[in-house]
Amino acid sequence: MSGYTDKIREISQRLLKDCSVEMIIGFRKGTQPMMNEPFVVRSAEDVDQLIWDSNCGINLTNYLTNRTEKIGIIAKGCDSRNIVTHILENKIKRDQLVIIGVPCRGMIDRRRIAMLAEGEVLAVTETDDAIVVKTGTGENEYKKSDVLQQNCKVCVHRNPVIHDELVAEPVEEQQDIDRYADVRDIEARKPEEKWAFFDELLAPCIRCYACKNACPLCYCPTCFVDEAKPQWLGKSQDPMDIRTFHFLRAYHCAGRCTDCGACERACPVGINMRLLTKKLEKDCLDQYGWEAGMSLDSRPALDIYRPDDPEAFIK
Amino acid sequence: MGLVKRKAAYVEYPQAVPLKYAIDADSCIFLQKGKCGACKKLCPTDAIDFDQKETTGTIDVGAVVLSPGFTPFDPSRFDNYGYSKMPNVITSMEFERILSASGPTMGHIVRQSKDKREPKRIAFFQCIGSRDINKCDNAHCSSVCCMYAIKEAVIAKEHAGDGLDCSIFFMDMRTHGKDFERYYDTARDKHGINFVRSRVHTINPLENDDLEIRYVTEAGEAKTEVYDMIVLSVGFETSPQVIDLAHRLNIDLTAGNFCKTDTFKPVSTSREGVYVCGAFQGPKDIPQSVVDASAAAVEAGLSLSKARNTLTRVKETVPETNVNGERPRVGVFVCRCGINIAGVVDVPAVAEYAKTLPYVDYVADNLYACSQDTQDTMTDIIKEKNLNRVVVAACTPKTHEPLFQETLINAGLNKYLFEMANIRNHNSWVHKNNPDLATQKAKDLVRMAVSKVALSQSLQEAELTVNQAAMVLGGGISGMAAAKSLAGQGYETHIVEKAPVLGGQALSIYKTAKDEDVQKELAGLVAEINGNELITIHLNSELKGVEGFVGNFKSQIVSGGNESVLEHGVCVIATGGYPYQPDEYNFGKDPRIITSLDLDRKLIDQDASLKKLNSAVLIQCVGSREPDRPYCSRVCCTHSIDNALTLKKMNPDMSVYILYRDIRTYGEKELLYKEARKAGVIFIRYSTDNKPEVKLTDGRIVVRVTDHVLQLPVDIPADLVSLATAIIPNRDDTLAGFFKVPLNEDGFFVERHAKLGPSEFATDGVFLCGLAHYPKPIDESIAQGNAAASRAVTLLARKNIFTSGTVAETRPLDCSSCAVCISVCPYSAPSFTEKGPFAGKAEINPVLCKGCGLCVASCRSGAIRLKGFDNDQIFAQIFSFNEAS
Amino acid sequence: MSEWEPKIVSFLCNWCSYGAADLAGVSRMEYPPHIRVVRIPCTGRMSPKFALAALREGADAVWVSG
């Protein structure tokens, strides 16, 4: 993993020095363990603060929206797919970007580690496939694959789909992954069971909107939650309004979500709202053979009108 | 149809517009016996007048169009089919009514015998009263019966499910229309309909009203089968009254009593100024009738074009009151529609309820809201009560919205300040046994309409000047016909042709089925086009790009290296087709194996060697009706038969063979088929799994084919093999992209509506004709060229067009520039603003916008609104649906 | 009237389903009086927000047809 960091610094140094970019967007170490933070490097001197490890889950595409500079950006598989979507949706131009691709080995789930560890987590270090957690009471080692983020466990696009530089050889994609076992499990339930499930799932929501703020797909000048005419939904903690918010947010991500996990990671109360977006992701794959952000040549499944649509119903 | 009894006071059919009752004089007791008159006493509006008499008037006209239609053949004169005796032998027209959801059995299929049992086995007999000179005198093919029989069988099976067995007994399956061959294939392969090639002689009644038939299979085996129901596919005839009319008008008829026309003047009768369209010109289906109708209109218009607009009166316009910013003052008019609504819904209660709704200032209930006097009253009330919004609770906006909007305009209100509550079609007519809930529903619908209309705004319609020039793409027969009609109507017309000459595929055709010399007629037409001052011909030219929209196109044309820009208001696409070049039947390996157009070339050139041939074999369906091209090329059967006859006339001793799958000489072309058989042309049918072989041995050609009667292979020595090759469209995806018009799987353009809009596109201002639409003979190509021009003239003649007010509009401040709207719009209406403060934000061209709302719903940023169906209006309807009182 | 009477909000496309509902009337087909039709210019106009709004307002079902 340290090889990644060295290579990132080396590339960034070069790009900033020869003025191919005005800034590099990457990560630096955070003040808390497992909380790396986004970092914008504008001068070559700061390059040595850039790092890479299994705590770089934040989707950096968010920082590209409507920027006008030339930018170097560090991108995992999911980030790269969101960059593709950003380019398609005119949020940034391809020629503004130097994409520094990172073949990703998965990010760790800090909540899970905090839960497994006894006492406050003081430091976390890692090797290729193990995570060592130091707490007040001692040290514990976990297999990395056991503490991966849920979305990383089922990820089949770990390598960047688009890049100008690559910090390492592509990693092997995970094979024979059942990506939608959780969605199918819910689909199979009876309506009343589903109702109860979603009731419980969304009950803790405090409408802080961290999920939508963390999401690179949310960039409208005025979000529907803030609109007053028409008022799409109330501002209250009424369960109906909470559900409306989550359902509509998910619909806005249909055909565009890359399951980067930003929403779930950002949620302060630990709601897995990815279940909603994943259902739509699955439907897009099943019905249109579509996965978001895989190519610059085609817009999202629900974004196009084609008279030669193969679906018989349209004729 | 006589399937059920009709009352003396009746509506012609349930979809009739206007939906008005009439009295059947033959069954009215008052008119027959002078007693009763109950309807007159009961009619609340005093609409019944028994004293009305037939009157004769005189109208001065410059042209006459005849469209008297056909009469279905009456099979009761065939004693062997027992139509009048056996209740379960019915005609296809009767079966059509039985299948209809609004028919006597609501679309449920039951036998006409007393048992009213659902049939399990239905047989269709084709060619009843068609292609028959044995039991009747109708030698012609009725053109449409094969297709309608398949359609009826498919609908019957779809309705009844797998338990129903349908068999169609036919001679030749004639599915020569656009997409018909595919329908035939699907009916056979997917729906499991049996097709039996046999003409059944007799139907024998059994005791339980079942029907026994005997027939001989293709293999020569006699079979007996029992059916529950037999449908006779009756053909077309011209009625004696129409024949009499033709005599009185002094116009010529054909041998089969259809109106006589020339190939190059397909809608002109023998009498100048009298035109014809529809089945009187010859048996034909709906699309062809619609094509003819448009063609006849434009032809009739030619002699009248100078008189255009001389008898029109300018309507007085009432100045529009500005109601912006005013508090809504809604007037609600609840219609009783006689008893149509009031018989079920408690109209006074609905009216009372409407008075309680917010912003409602005035409520009335009317006997008939649509009657002229109510309209006048409504205009007065709007002015008098100073109403600024109107709701009419009555029937459907689809038929009546324009009428009421006109009333608003007359009262000085913007026509979009209006809403209808559909309390008839969606309520009283469908809930007649539930008056309480129907009344409740009517209140809900009125409340929803009021809440929507309160939020409506005055909308403006953009006015658009129509450039008075036309561009015709393609200088073949149909393109020239279109250009000639357009110029004849007084419009500047440009023909853009790729080739160095005009004429297209017609340049390769020898003569028509009516024995007219194509080259002579074509030369005449080209000369006329050349001599017409209004027509500019661009030869060696191609289209490089198109900008603009209906009324204002700018087309970039490259002519021999020079680029120019043509401005025009409409475009006719007549890009034609070309003959398939076969790789089968040893084509290209011997100069004696040629295509049918090569044979025409030899005939045009008066090739002397043709006379010396001992034997000629003509093979049909080369490249047509094959998996690669699953369509029929429509013209080849007639063309080959005509060529066979020409060869026979040249040398009666020549052996001429036609190897075919189904002979498709539709209409009166059937007479040519008969003539060919009489002249000794030998017809041998083959099937796709046992195709003929053309062998070349020692310099001799031998064609081996399995004879369908002998069921044995026969070897035919041939001096000439002519292959009737498929017609392939000049598929042009770029052109389709320029005008945003669709192509089908075979590369033909897709018209606005397969039946009702055959010569125009869904895209405004773009029209279609000729082989680019579907293979067709010269007369149909010309008619469609005329028709495309006719449709185009309806637009050009308006000079100015108004777009709809219900179009989408962006709010640039909310736009996130994601381009979803640009991507999803089927009409290319949205684009990014290029300059100004909102550069990079989406805007919508109201001229191109069709108001579908796709962009509105797909805009995540909520930056687009659809005027007339705005979010707040739809929400108002949703929010008010459940406020039950 | 003691039986449960559902309320169904129907969003019907002006060009097909709305016309079909008209034709159902013309053909005097009977169906239960529980739908409330909102005419939309095309089902393309339909937004998931409308469906959710109708359900929030107490609709027992939402029917989109076009």
Side-chain angles (χ1 to χ4, degrees):
Chain A
M1 211 44 88
S2 66
Y4 274 41
T5 300
D6 294 344
K7 190 75 183 171
I8 286 171
R9 289 177 184 169
E10 177 198 317
I11 294 168
S12 304
Q13 189 87 21
R14 168 161 51 78
L15 294 175
L16 284 166
K17 270 198 172 147
D18 67 13
C19 296
S20 351
V21 299
E22 292 164 65
M23 61 170 81
I24 301 280
I25 302 180
F27 288 95
R28 70 175 167 194
K29 201 143 189 66
T31 45
Q32 297 287 318
M34 302 185 285
M35 294 281 268
N36 289 349
E37 60 191 28
F39 179 43
V40 177
V41 186
R42 290 179 192 271
S43 79
E45 295 120 55
D46 293 333
V47 159
D48 58 359
Q49 292 186 56
L50 286 169
I51 57 140
W52 189 267
D53 60 21
S54 299
N55 302 304
C56 298
I58 287 171
N59 193 327
L60 297 179
T61 312
N62 233 353
Y63 299 88
L64 292 179
T65 308
N66 295 336
R67 295 209 82 112
T68 50
E69 307 95 326
K70 284 277 286 183
I71 300 168
I73 180 158
I74 316 291
K76 314 181 279 291
C78 48
D79 305 54
S80 74
R81 292 168 64 200
N82 278 106
I83 293 172
V84 167
T85 306
H86 247 50
I87 295 167
L88 288 173
E89 294 179 355
N90 296 313
K91 294 282 86 53
I92 191 93
K93 292 196 182 70
R94 177 68 182 94
D95 57 17
Q96 276 175 269
L97 297 177
V98 176
I99 301 166
I100 305 163
V102 181
C104 177
R105 292 170 189 276
M107 295 293 138
I108 56 172
D109 183 344
R110 65 183 159 84
R111 282 207 186 85
R112 183 159 169 76
I113 288 175
M115 199 179 74
L116 292 171
E118 289 164 28
E120 192 188 353
V121 176
L122 300 174
V124 175
T125 51
E126 63 183 274
T127 61
D128 269 357
D129 45 21
I131 305 291
V132 181
V133 178
K134 194 178 165 200
T135 62
T137 55
E139 256 186 20
N140 270 315
E141 188 176 305
Y142 305 102
K143 239 173 102 181
K144 184 173 169 187
S145 56
D146 288 342
V147 292
L148 277 182
Q149 286 184 176
Q150 290 301 313
N151 63 315
C152 297
K153 273 189 186 164
V154 295
C155 174
V156 293
H157 298 295
R158 294 179 146 191
N159 293 300
V161 295
I162 181 175
H163 57 80
D164 302 297
E165 307 271 350
L166 209 52
V167 304
E169 286 302 305
V171 294
E172 200 185 327
E173 295 292 1
Q174 304 193 92
Q175 303 295 328
D176 304 320
I177 296 287
D178 184 356
R179 295 161 75 180
Y180 301 113
D182 48 357
V183 177
R184 274 200 314 277
D185 173 49
I186 300 167
E187 281 171 344
R189 297 183 194 189
K190 294 194 192 94
E192 54 272 26
E193 290 171 0
K194 283 185 191 169
W195 184 265
F197 175 82
F198 285 110
D199 216 16
E200 198 182 334
L201 179 78
L202 300 175
C205 178
I206 53 170
R207 293 280 290 276
C208 70
Y209 298 149
C211 49
K212 89 175 171 74
N213 291 339
C215 177
L217 301 174
C218 285
Y219 51 65
C220 290
T222 307
C223 179
F224 71 94
V225 299
D226 299 323
E227 253 181 287
K229 193 188 174 216
Q231 188 177 337
W232 301 105
L233 71 161
K235 317 285 181 198
S236 71
Q237 287 299 107
D238 186 284
M240 197 82 94
D241 286 332
I242 290 177
R243 281 176 211 142
T244 308
F245 161 65
H246 280 284
F247 295 161
L248 289 182
R249 191 193 76 83
Y251 271 110
H252 280 193
C253 301
R256 306 160 71 220
C257 175
T258 61
D259 199 23
C260 73
C263 47
E264 187 187 5
R265 187 183 314 103
C267 182
V269 292
I271 296 171
N272 179 13
M273 66 287 282
R274 277 178 48 248
L275 281 170
L276 301 174
T277 43
K278 268 185 87 184
K279 161 68 179 159
L280 295 168
E281 189 190 48
K282 173 173 175 284
D283 285 353
C284 279
L285 187 61
D286 290 351
Q287 291 175 26
Y288 308 100
W290 171 259
E291 289 186 278
M294 297 302 290
S295 150
L296 282 172
D297 301 327
S298 180
R299 289 189 66 95
L302 302 174
D303 265 28
I304 35 176
Y305 167 79
R306 284 209 320 248
D308 58 341
D309 193 290
E311 289 284 341
F313 73 87
I314 215 160
K315 290 181 179 168
Chain B
M1 207 66 71
L3 290 172
V4 283
K5 284 213 165 77
R6 186 166 80 182
K7 291 188 173 177
Y10 70 100
V11 173
E12 183 74 38
Y13 45 90
Q15 293 86 349
V17 176
L19 197 73
K20 302 289 182 215
Y21 278 82
I23 290 174
D24 178 358
D26 292 338
S27 22
C28 170
I29 306 172
F30 184 83
L31 290 175
Q32 293 297 325
K33 297 180 184 160
K35 286 177 198 161
C36 181
C39 53
K40 190 177 171 72
K41 283 170 215 151
L42 287 170
C43 178
T45 56
D46 202 19
I48 292 161
D49 177 5
F50 287 115
D51 301 326
Q52 271 186 345
K53 288 276 175 298
E54 189 178 289
T55 55
T56 305
T58 306
I59 308 170
D60 287 330
V61 293
V64 174
V65 177
L66 301 176
S67 55
F70 70 94
T71 297
F73 178 78
D74 175 7
S76 49
R77 61 181 114 153
F78 289 178
D79 52 3
N80 52 334
Y81 289 155
Y83 167 69
S84 45
K85 287 186 229 124
M86 303 176 212
N88 294 324
V89 178
I90 59 172
T91 69
S92 47
M93 296 290 273
E94 289 165 332
F95 195 54
E96 193 83 29
R97 289 302 301 150
I98 290 173
L99 291 174
S100 169
S102 58
T105 55
M106 310 283 280
H108 193 58
I109 307 162
V110 288
R111 307 216 297 180
Q112 294 301 298
S113 51
K114 284 192 185 113
D115 54 39
K116 298 286 170 213
R117 192 159 63 73
E118 289 174 22
K120 292 284 163 219
R121 301 193 77 205
I122 302 177
F124 293 78
F125 289 2
Q126 297 308 104
C127 300
I128 305 301
S130 309
R131 302 181 70 189
D132 185 356
I133 46 168
N134 177 22
K135 291 207 276 303
C136 67
D137 289 328
N138 292 344
H140 63 267
C141 158
S142 292
S143 300
V144 304
C145 328
C146 284
M147 196 57 199
Y148 77 56
I150 301 177
K151 178 201 73 176
E152 289 183 357
V154 168
I155 294 176
K157 279 196 73 115
E158 280 177 347
H159 181 83
D162 289 337
L164 177 65
D165 189 57
C166 287
S167 299
I168 298 179
F169 292 81
F170 69 102
M171 299 203 289
D172 291 285
M173 189 41 64
R174 294 188 168 171
T175 47
H176 47 273
K178 192 173 185 176
D179 288 330
F180 288 5
E181 188 74 17
R182 269 198 180 82
Y183 197 86
Y184 173 31
D185 290 342
T186 314
R188 189 185 54 234
D189 302 335
K190 198 178 136 217
H191 297 284
I193 288 160
N194 308 315
F195 288 87
V196 187
R197 199 183 289 270
S198 183
R199 198 144 165 83
V200 184
H201 183 270
T202 307
I203 302 174
N204 292 317
L206 300 179
E207 275 178 12
N208 52 359
D209 286 321
D210 285 358
L211 305 159
E212 183 194 75
I213 64 165
R214 269 181 300 160
Y215 66 97
V216 179
T217 66
E218 280 193 86
E221 187 191 344
K223 275 194 154 185
T224 305
E225 281 179 6
V226 177
Y227 284 89
D228 297 328
M229 189 185 243
I230 288 173
V231 179
L232 303 177
S233 294
V234 292
F236 285 24
E237 279 186 331
T238 305
S239 74
Q241 293 89 335
V242 172
I243 296 171
D244 177 54
L245 173 73
H247 292 325
R248 281 186 285 127
L249 289 173
N250 197 18
I251 59 170
D252 294 346
L253 297 180
T254 64
N257 280 328
F258 293 98
C259 183
K260 194 171 181 180
T261 53
D262 292 342
T263 300
F264 285 80
K265 288 185 165 180
V267 293
S268 301
T269 68
S270 58
R271 182 168 172 186
E272 205 180 344
V274 182
Y275 303 94
V276 62
C277 59
F280 178 42
Q281 194 267 344
K284 62 187 54 156
D285 58 3
I286 295 170
Q288 192 58 39
S289 299
V290 172
V291 165
D292 282 3
S294 295
V298 84
E299 288 294 297
L302 284 184
S303 47
L304 305 175
S305 66
K306 286 199 191 83
R308 186 181 296 147
N309 293 337
T310 51
L311 290 174
T312 50
R313 276 175 295 175
V314 180
K315 198 170 167 253
E316 234 178 274
T317 50
V318 181
E320 191 176 304
T321 322
N322 183 357
V323 301
N324 284 348
E326 286 181 10
R327 167 193 178 279
R329 290 184 299 275
V330 183
V332 180
F333 298 85
V334 188
C335 177
R336 293 169 175 259
C337 196
I339 57 161
N340 279 296
I341 294 169
V344 178
V345 171
D346 183 349
V347 170
V350 174
E352 271 312 304
Y353 174 73
K355 286 180 187 162
T356 67
L357 294 170
Y359 301 119
V360 172
D361 274 15
Y362 179 84
V363 179
D365 75 81
N366 309 98
L367 190 54
Y368 287 102
C370 59
S371 69
Q372 189 53 51
D373 57 328
T374 314
Q375 298 285 293
D376 296 340
T377 319
M378 215 183 271
T379 311
D380 294 341
I381 289 169
I382 292 170
K383 288 185 196 159
E384 183 189 318
K385 306 278 175 191
N386 198 17
L387 301 176
N388 59 19
R389 304 282 191 287
V390 174
V391 168
V392 173
C395 48
T396 169
K398 289 189 70 80
T399 55
H400 281 67
E401 193 173 58
L403 177 82
F404 294 117
Q405 288 187 326
E406 193 70 26
T407 309
L408 263 71
I409 293 169
N410 290 338
L413 277 185
N414 183 285
K415 72 178 195 185
Y416 293 99
L417 300 168
F418 173 74
E419 200 57 38
M420 282 188 85
N422 191 336
I423 61 167
R424 189 186 73 179
N425 298 45
H426 290 187
N427 194 16
S428 64
W429 274 354
V430 288
H431 308 316
K432 64 171 182 288
N433 293 322
N434 221 333
D436 290 342
L437 287 176
T439 301
Q440 183 54 51
K441 182 173 173 180
K443 290 179 183 175
D444 289 351
L445 293 174
V446 168
R447 186 177 60 246
M448 288 163 75
V450 168
S451 60
K452 183 183 179 194
V453 86
L455 294 165
S456 64
Q457 292 169 338
S458 300
L459 302 180
Q460 302 314 316
E461 301 180 334
E463 188 175 357
L464 202 67
T465 327
V466 179
N467 185 312
Q468 299 286 294
M471 176 171 79
V472 177
L473 282 177
I477 278 273
S478 64
M480 286 193 288
K484 193 181 144 191
S485 293
L486 284 161
Q489 296 277 355
Y491 298 103
E492 180 192 329
T493 304
H494 296 261
I495 300 181
V496 178
E497 168 59 48
K498 268 186 190 171
V501 286
L502 293 175
Q505 293 302 322
L507 289 165
S508 312
I509 301 172
Y510 173 51
K511 68 180 184 62
T512 71
K514 289 179 183 166
D515 224 22
E516 296 128 316
D517 182 336
V518 174
Q519 297 313 308
K520 196 179 132 211
E521 297 281 349
L522 183 62
L525 181 59
V526 171
E528 261 187 85
I529 297 285
N530 277 317
N532 194 317
E533 283 178 2
L534 283 170
I535 302 178
T536 312
I537 306 163
H538 306 260
L539 296 173
N540 299 309
S541 301
E542 284 192 55
L543 199 60
K544 282 287 165 225
V546 178
E547 273 178 46
F549 38 81
V550 54
N552 295 280
F553 290 109
K554 278 192 186 125
S555 295
Q556 212 184 328
I557 294 164
V558 180
S559 313
N562 300 322
E563 279 195 24
S564 59
V565 172
L566 188 65
E567 295 192 9
H568 55 105
V570 297
C571 175
V572 176
I573 294 181
T575 46
Y578 63 96
Y580 167 65
Q581 290 301 300
D583 49 18
E584 55 262 57
Y585 298 123
N586 272 322
F587 178 77
K589 305 238 171 74
D590 188 292
R592 291 167 295 176
I593 304 172
I594 60 176
T595 69
S596 47
L597 284 183
D598 294 335
L599 177 56
D600 273 50
R601 177 52 53 196
K602 284 177 190 284
L603 290 166
I604 294 169
D605 295 343
Q606 298 181 320
D607 188 329
S609 67
L610 289 176
K611 239 180 209 172
K612 295 178 195 148
L613 301 175
N614 282 319
S615 157
V617 178
L618 283 57
I619 304 178
Q620 298 304 108
C621 293
V622 181
S624 302
R625 304 178 65 195
E626 291 281 354
D628 282 352
R629 244 166 268 101
Y631 60 86
C632 165
S633 291
R634 194 171 170 107
V635 302
C636 337
C637 283
T638 311
H639 187 214
S640 289
I641 289 172
D642 198 30
N643 280 349
L645 274 167
T646 307
L647 292 173
K648 270 285 186 191
K649 273 176 202 150
M650 255 181 212
N651 173 6
D653 293 332
M654 192 193 304
S655 301
V656 183
Y657 301 86
I658 293 185
L659 314 185
Y660 71 101
R661 286 167 59 192
D662 291 279
I663 287 292
R664 294 182 166 176
T665 43
Y666 57 94
E668 289 197 290
K669 299 177 179 79
E670 180 71 11
L671 275 67
L672 212 60
Y673 180 26
K674 196 173 126 229
E675 192 188 331
R677 279 174 294 165
K678 210 169 150 193
V681 176
I682 297 165
F683 288 84
I684 303 176
R685 198 179 61 248
Y686 73 87
S687 62
T688 38
D689 52 12
N690 195 1
K691 282 192 189 173
E693 283 175 77
V694 178
K695 295 189 212 167
L696 277 167
T697 26
D698 307 329
R700 289 174 51 206
I701 305 176
V702 173
V703 181
R704 169 168 287 199
V705 61
T706 300
D707 183 275
H708 62 280
V709 180
L710 304 172
Q711 307 243 333
L712 288 171
V714 290
D715 284 339
I716 308 167
D719 300 326
L720 178 86
V721 173
S722 168
L723 307 176
T725 57
I727 293 175
I728 303 178
N730 286 319
R731 185 188 179 114
D732 190 341
D733 294 272
T734 321
L735 173 66
F738 286 160
F739 287 106
K740 285 123 200 147
V741 291
L743 288 163
N744 72 10
E745 291 159 76
D746 304 320
F748 296 106
F749 283 105
V750 180
E751 58 276 38
R752 181 177 65 79
H753 190 286
K755 308 286 173 207
L756 303 176
S759 316
E760 65 223 56
F761 285 104
T763 308
D764 286 340
V766 193
F767 305 88
L768 170 68
C769 60
L771 301 183
H773 163 259
Y774 190 69
K776 52 177 68 77
I778 291 176
D779 48 356
E780 293 173 18
S781 292
I782 291 179
Q784 204 180 13
N786 298 150
S790 183
R791 302 302 302 147
V793 167
T794 60
L795 195 75
L796 291 168
R798 297 222 294 265
K799 292 201 173 83
N800 296 302
I801 48 177
F802 289 92
T803 63
S804 168
T806 49
V807 291
E809 184 181 68
T810 60
R811 279 185 298 247
L813 281 176
D814 289 335
C815 175
S816 60
S817 306
C818 70
V820 171
C821 53
I822 296 172
S823 179
V824 294
C825 179
Y827 310 101
S828 309
S831 59
F832 284 131
T833 309
E834 283 172 15
K835 282 180 248 164
F838 298 124
K841 302 289 186 186
E843 63 182 359
I844 288 164
N845 183 337
V847 177
L848 296 177
C849 180
K850 297 272 185 193
C852 71
L854 197 50
C855 58
V856 187
S858 57
C859 181
R860 290 180 286 266
S861 308
I864 314 179
R865 53 183 290 250
L866 182 61
K867 297 191 237 172
F869 289 93
D870 218 337
N871 283 327
D872 57 352
Q873 291 182 293
I874 294 179
F875 271 106
Q877 286 174 286
I878 295 171
F879 292 157
S880 60
F881 90 94
N882 204 20
E883 291 169 18
S885 55
Chain C
M1 296 291 275
S2 59
E3 269 184 51
W4 176 60
E5 302 279 357
K7 281 220 171 177
I8 301 165
V9 178
S10 316
F11 295 90
L12 303 187
C13 161
N14 178 49
W15 304 105
C16 54
S17 305
Y18 192 92
D22 281 347
L23 195 59
V26 167
S27 309
R28 308 297 196 277
M29 290 173 172
E30 282 197 61
Y31 55 85
H34 304 310
I35 65 164
R36 298 292 179 266
V37 175
V38 176
R39 182 167 71 125
I40 51 177
C42 166
T43 37
R45 176 73 186 89
M46 189 60 200
S47 161
K49 292 163 188 162
F50 297 154
L52 288 174
L55 294 170
R56 286 163 53 113
E57 290 302 315
D60 296 296
V62 173
W63 173 34
V64 183
S65 180

